[in-house]
Amino acid sequence: MVIMQNYVIKKEDLNKLVERALDDYDVYAPVQKKSIHVYDQISDPASMDLNYGQTMTSAKKLFNPPVENMMTFDFDKKEIKDRLEDTIPETPSLIVGLHACDINGLLFLDRVYGGEYDDLYYQKRREKTTIIGLNCLESCESGFCRSVNTHIVLEGYDLFLTPIEDERYYVNVGSPKGDRLITLAPDLFEEATEDDVDAFRKSLQKKHESLPVEFHLDNLTETLDMAWDDPIWEEIGEDCMNCGSCALVCPTCYCFDVVDEVGLDLKESTRKRKWDTCLYYDFALVAGNHNFREEPEARLKYRFYHKMRGAVHDQGIIACTGCGRCIDACPAGISFLDVLAQLQKNWASAPTIEGGN
Amino acid sequence: MQVEVKRENEYIPNLAVLKNRTDMTELETLFEFEFKDKDLQDHFSYKPGQFIQLSMFGIGEAPFSISSTPTRPGTIELGIRRAGDVTEAIHRLEPGDVVGLRGPYGNGFPLEKMKGKDILIVAGGIGLVPLRSVINYIIDERDDFGHMTLFYGACLPEERIFVDELENDWPSAPDVDVLQTVDECHDTWMGNVGVVTTLFDKYEVDSENTVALICGPPVMYRFVVKELLDLDFRRDEIYMSLERRMKCGVGKCAHCQVGHKLVCKDGPVFTYFEVQRLQEAI
């Protein structure tokens, strides 16, 4: 009995698949720009570069754009026009080459934008997007995915490619949308043989040997509960510029601001939402100018607690995929990973734990 | 009973018309709205303590606690202080003007758990806005609840809101005591002078079978909670409504996140037990 059908595809044939997909999809893929990679729309498969470590910004921009129109209000007619349909392109999208960390980032956003209230702007884009994931067999420069267990994906992709020997990819099919891609170019795919499964296993072995574990999640929640008054917050708070770069490049940071902008003809206004971050001064400001997070270190600390402690309560998982982008993006050189590791060290060596009895 | 009005896109407000406005103080006005959609207006209901997102198109959207009670169907009343761009614009509205409303959102006060119990309400300044909803609810459903006591504190006598109800309607309702205080006063004020906690010295509160509801400026909570704890109130029977800047109202934008709780969905009403475990809550 066939429980699950898996395939292999030659690396060179992936370009042919993308070529054919271009007729039906807007295709996005990692593209090299100067010294960095970014997800960009492509019109030629040759311009995509899957041999990349990490893109500068995450794929969340394709599902939750930095700025988007929510609705328009006509002042004369006193009418609200939903801009949902305008903001979502008619053509479905295909994203090629998403690493496990970014797919896990989307799984987190799925939780936030789902639940009791639907966020249709996000969900409709998500439904209209097909994802070809790409397994990393080696670690990237700042990433720490294995430490936070996001080097593996179980769902969230439509096809997932793992490089195996002989310049081929082993293909896991994750959804009916993935099946649709295969039927688009059935000649490019071969059913996986037992030898291919062995090759796949070897690749996974290689991955597990090469991805380091730099930090342990297991006692993180207790660590953060103990660390609220740790001097580390004041120390790194002095360095942190509250620029918000870490949040903007983060695949799971989802905070947004809502603003109304009036058209130049004064006939209508557009309600927009824009990426926002808890590091900005006015994020927790309320009426009467009371600020619940007045000091820079309070805002920096909040980001750590929201992502690594609050999200566990709220969504059941941490809001970090170990992609390391925040480390690369920080102009002050603050490393998210180092801060967590330092907190765990402080906690483990706290006198109440080690010395007292 | 609350009727769920399900909308396709949760963020799109419903148009509502300002029916009436009553200036209460120099800064605060009570606004009465009615939905343009008659079906929605007829079926709209809410719980005391819930809030509404009000849109002033072109200027912005902000959350406001509902001041009216679902026991008196009709207009939706919002007591609003002039404090920023959106509220300045709201204060310029005239009857007939159109705004956007969506909601109700949030958990509201725990009416079911309050049934059969005595109620102590401590309000400071415009903290009376959401509490007025529950006060009038209790008065309308009088048999369901025990004795109700209201402590109300304002900075100055002329800064008190809902004065007519404070002075006349509520004290004359059955089994209700109303005590007022002001921080500073002129010669005309004959009542108590001092912060709201000074009322605890003037009135014997029995914590046995009593639930406390608090709403006021952030600075008030710690002092009031201390009084309540000294009177042996249980930490999970002290309820407080928190203020945050909600942008979405439905748990997406994270502006109102406190610790691991979202004020818009998990609140705005929390027990003191919950709040004491949340960093930066009060």
Side-chain angles (χ1 to χ4, degrees):
Chain A
M1 189 178 76
V2 178
I3 297 173
M4 194 192 290
Q5 205 153 23
N6 292 315
Y7 300 88
V8 289
I9 184 172
K10 286 183 194 142
K11 283 188 176 176
E12 62 193 48
D13 284 348
L14 183 66
N15 279 24
K16 289 183 196 161
L17 175 70
V18 171
E19 180 75 52
R20 288 185 213 175
L22 278 163
D23 293 338
D24 297 344
Y25 299 87
D26 287 339
V27 181
Y28 297 83
V31 168
Q32 182 155 15
K33 292 205 169 168
K34 295 191 177 166
S35 63
I36 56 156
H37 283 84
V38 293
Y39 290 113
D40 206 354
Q41 188 167 2
I42 59 164
S43 54
D44 176 3
S47 59
M48 72 180 183
D49 181 9
L50 296 185
N51 188 24
Y52 75 105
Q54 191 58 279
T55 53
M56 185 180 74
T57 51
S58 79
K60 81 175 171 192
K61 67 177 183 181
L62 302 173
F63 299 90
N64 174 13
V67 183
E68 89 179 311
N69 295 335
M70 301 179 82
M71 67 198 81
T72 308
F73 182 73
D74 184 317
F75 290 122
D76 293 332
K77 294 187 198 152
K78 304 250 185 307
E79 271 175 11
I80 306 168
K81 187 167 170 267
D82 188 344
R83 295 287 293 271
L84 182 61
E85 297 305 326
D86 316 355
T87 59
I88 297 158
E90 272 181 33
T91 315
S93 303
L94 171 69
I95 314 181
V96 188
L98 243 68
H99 288 166
C101 56
D102 268 6
I103 294 171
N104 277 301
L106 287 175
L107 289 174
F108 183 82
L109 295 183
D110 288 348
R111 292 174 189 239
V112 172
Y113 289 118
E116 189 183 347
Y117 297 100
D118 290 336
D119 186 287
L120 298 181
Y121 300 91
Y122 173 86
Q123 287 180 1
K124 290 206 184 247
R125 272 195 199 90
R126 185 80 160 97
E127 282 163 22
K128 287 193 86 163
T129 306
T130 301
I131 290 170
I132 302 182
L134 178 63
N135 213 345
C136 304
L137 303 187
E138 284 168 23
S139 76
C140 56
E141 199 179 324
S142 304
F144 53 98
C145 57
R146 194 173 174 195
S147 305
V148 290
N149 207 29
T150 55
H151 58 310
I152 287 167
V153 282
L154 300 175
E155 53 176 344
Y157 59 83
D158 301 296
L159 295 182
F160 195 63
L161 311 177
T162 302
I164 55 172
E165 59 198 16
D166 301 331
E167 293 297 302
R168 294 177 308 153
Y169 291 116
Y170 187 84
V171 184
N172 290 92
V173 183
S175 78
K177 282 194 283 187
D179 268 336
R180 153 111 181 84
L181 270 182
I182 287 172
T183 53
L184 200 68
D187 53 312
L188 304 178
F189 292 87
E190 278 177 41
E191 274 183 43
T193 63
E194 281 197 19
D195 285 349
D196 296 329
V197 174
D198 267 348
F200 175 54
R201 207 170 281 142
K202 267 185 208 145
S203 287
L204 294 186
Q205 188 71 36
K206 183 182 167 195
K207 169 179 164 172
H208 286 273
E209 280 163 12
S210 69
L211 291 181
V213 180
E214 291 153 298
F215 149 85
H216 286 281
L217 259 184
D218 48 9
N219 58 358
L220 184 67
T221 46
E222 292 99 322
T223 301
L224 286 170
D225 282 347
M226 302 287 285
W228 185 260
D229 295 318
D230 196 296
I232 196 170
W233 303 118
E234 216 165 301
E235 286 163 30
I236 56 171
E238 278 182 20
D239 294 336
C240 174
M241 302 167 194
N242 279 214
C243 67
S245 299
C246 50
L248 300 179
V249 299
C250 176
T252 62
C253 274
Y254 56 86
C255 298
F256 61 79
D257 193 15
V258 180
V259 292
D260 280 12
E261 287 180 9
V262 180
L264 286 175
D265 58 5
L266 305 180
K267 285 184 191 293
E268 62 173 30
S269 66
T270 304
R271 179 159 295 167
K272 299 183 171 193
R273 68 172 174 192
K274 302 179 173 188
W275 287 358
D276 199 358
T277 146
C278 56
L279 291 159
Y280 293 163
Y281 174 79
D282 58 358
F283 190 84
L285 200 66
V286 299
N289 270 336
H290 184 84
N291 196 336
F292 285 92
R293 293 183 210 107
E294 181 81 33
E295 300 300 323
E297 65 260 28
R299 300 195 286 280
L300 171 80
K301 179 162 75 171
Y302 169 77
R303 183 164 182 274
F304 276 84
Y305 273 82
H306 184 201
K307 300 187 78 62
M308 307 306 278
R309 184 74 180 89
V312 177
H313 251 99
D314 209 21
Q315 307 292 349
I317 51 173
I318 55 167
C320 174
T321 70
C323 70
R325 290 183 176 98
C326 55
I327 299 170
D328 292 335
C330 182
I334 297 168
S335 161
F336 201 82
L337 178 67
D338 288 352
V339 172
L340 294 176
Q342 184 63 43
L343 285 170
Q344 286 193 328
K345 200 173 145 211
N346 292 0
W347 182 76
S349 61
T352 48
I353 304 302
E354 225 158 57
N357 50 63
Chain B
M1 191 186 72
Q2 186 157 4
V3 178
E4 187 99 358
V5 184
K6 188 78 185 164
R7 290 196 305 280
E8 170 73 6
N9 184 346
E10 191 64 45
Y11 298 116
I12 305 291
N14 301 100
L15 295 178
V17 182
L18 179 67
K19 301 306 282 184
N20 195 16
R21 54 173 291 169
T22 314
D23 291 339
M24 297 194 289
T25 69
E26 211 173 298
L27 288 178
E28 286 105 13
T29 298
L30 185 70
F31 296 88
E32 296 176 51
F33 295 100
E34 216 170 62
F35 286 109
K36 281 186 101 166
D37 180 337
K38 194 178 175 309
D39 195 41
L40 175 62
Q41 176 63 30
D42 290 346
H43 290 99
F44 186 77
S45 192
Y46 51 91
K47 280 164 65 179
Q50 287 193 299
F51 67 95
I52 287 264
Q53 291 279 129
L54 190 159
S55 285
M56 288 302 297
F57 297 105
I59 297 169
E61 188 177 47
F64 297 99
S65 292
I66 304 174
S67 291
S68 44
T69 163
T71 50
R72 301 176 194 179
T75 53
I76 300 142
E77 297 175 5
L78 306 175
I80 297 174
R81 170 181 286 179
R82 238 167 48 216
D85 294 343
V86 174
T87 52
E88 283 287 348
I90 295 169
H91 276 254
R92 287 195 295 270
L93 290 172
E94 294 297 336
D97 286 345
V98 174
V99 301
L101 299 183
R102 61 186 177 96
Y105 297 125
N107 57 357
F109 290 105
L111 296 168
E112 285 305 313
K113 287 186 186 164
M114 288 157 55
K115 279 190 179 166
K117 299 202 171 187
D118 292 341
I119 317 285
L120 171 67
I121 294 177
V122 185
I126 58 167
L128 191 56
V129 164
L131 291 171
R132 178 202 184 223
S133 179
V134 78
I135 292 167
N136 283 329
Y137 185 97
I138 289 170
I139 287 173
D140 291 348
E141 305 285 330
R142 201 66 204 83
D143 296 343
D144 285 349
F145 303 93
H147 185 82
M148 176 164 68
T149 308
L150 168 64
F151 288 177
Y152 180 56
C155 289
L156 294 165
E158 60 270 30
E159 289 182 2
R160 292 172 304 145
I161 56 175
F162 304 115
V163 173
D164 196 34
E165 285 164 293
L166 274 170
E167 300 278 349
N168 302 311
D169 298 358
W170 298 337
S172 59
D175 221 8
V176 176
D177 287 323
V178 176
L179 279 81
Q180 300 183 63
T181 184
V182 294
D183 296 354
E184 291 172 48
C185 67
H186 317 296
D187 299 341
T188 50
W189 178 255
M190 305 302 284
N192 188 70
V193 179
V195 292
V196 76
T197 45
T198 59
L199 294 174
F200 283 90
D201 304 330
K202 316 269 167 176
Y203 186 90
E204 197 170 329
V205 175
D206 183 3
S207 61
E208 182 83 27
N209 199 38
T210 305
V211 172
L213 311 179
I214 317 173
C215 189
V219 65
M220 193 188 90
Y221 291 104
R222 281 177 204 181
F223 295 102
V224 173
V225 166
K226 187 179 177 306
E227 294 287 343
L228 295 173
L229 293 178
D230 287 348
L231 288 166
D232 290 333
F233 271 81
R234 290 172 54 101
R235 283 159 201 258
D236 60 346
E237 292 195 329
I238 301 170
Y239 292 90
M240 49 187 66
S241 182
L242 300 188
E243 179 193 8
R244 285 299 185 278
R245 182 193 193 194
M246 295 122 185
K247 289 286 181 171
C248 71
V250 292
K252 311 295 184 199
C253 78
H255 272 270
C256 69
Q257 189 120 18
V258 181
H260 57 270
K261 298 280 188 185
L262 286 158
V263 175
C264 68
K265 275 178 66 188
D266 302 316
V269 178
F270 294 94
T271 65
Y272 176 64
F273 182 81
E274 290 173 290
V275 164
Q276 68 173 0
R277 296 155 63 94
L278 294 180
Q279 305 285 1
E280 304 172 330
I282 55 172

